[in-house]
Amino acid sequence: MTDLNTIAKNYIIAWNESDAERRAELLKATFTEDVSYRDPLMQGDGHEGVAALIDGVQQRFAGFRFSLKGTPDGFADKIRFSWNLGPEGTPSIIEGTDIGIIENGRLKSVTGFLDKVPAQ
């Protein structure tokens, strides 16, 4: 049986990792080679595509950290989990929920939804 908590935690760890080499290893462990990521603001395919998205988020939100919000749930090959993004030790500025498809214990696709975003 797939451990949904481990998948969600590894996902968050990958998004928080700033070292490119370490992140590449985390991406291999967390996502299939042909992973597809989509949310309202960005999209990426494969490990390189997701790595580029993570780089972009880390540059735009320097010093911010992702954390899990609540407990992941799912069924069959699906996972749903929510997350927070903001400076450590302060209330989150951005929140979202991601829905993923799992294949052999790794994420094959992720569709992200933004639940809370700052006013522009």
Side-chain angles (χ1 to χ4, degrees):
M1 182 175 170
T2 300
D3 182 352
L4 301 177
N5 289 315
T6 298
I7 291 171
K9 285 178 185 176
N10 288 343
Y11 177 92
I12 296 297
I13 291 168
W15 278 85
N16 282 331
E17 181 57 57
S18 58
D19 179 83
E21 288 183 29
R22 175 72 181 125
R23 185 184 322 126
E25 292 303 314
L26 290 166
L27 292 175
K28 288 178 189 174
T30 306
F31 301 97
T32 62
E33 294 292 327
D34 60 345
V35 64
S36 169
Y37 179 93
R38 304 285 183 271
D39 75 22
L41 302 176
M42 57 189 186
Q43 62 185 28
D45 295 304
H47 293 167
E48 288 183 17
V50 174
L53 298 178
I54 293 171
D55 280 336
V57 169
Q58 288 183 3
Q59 288 175 20
R60 182 168 182 197
F61 300 102
F64 283 29
R65 303 284 292 169
F66 284 93
S67 62
L68 279 177
K69 179 180 177 182
T71 303
D73 67 345
F75 63 93
D77 64 346
K78 313 288 188 293
I79 183 173
R80 175 180 65 176
F81 57 94
S82 295
W83 47 264
N84 301 301
L85 177 62
E88 275 192 89
T90 65
S92 59
I93 294 174
I94 302 168
E95 297 177 3
T97 299
D98 290 353
I99 309 292
I101 305 294
I102 301 166
E103 182 178 271
N104 298 320
R106 297 188 296 164
L107 290 164
K108 181 172 181 63
S109 73
V110 177
T111 302
F113 296 86
L114 299 173
D115 302 326
K116 175 184 169 185
V117 293
Q120 297 277 340

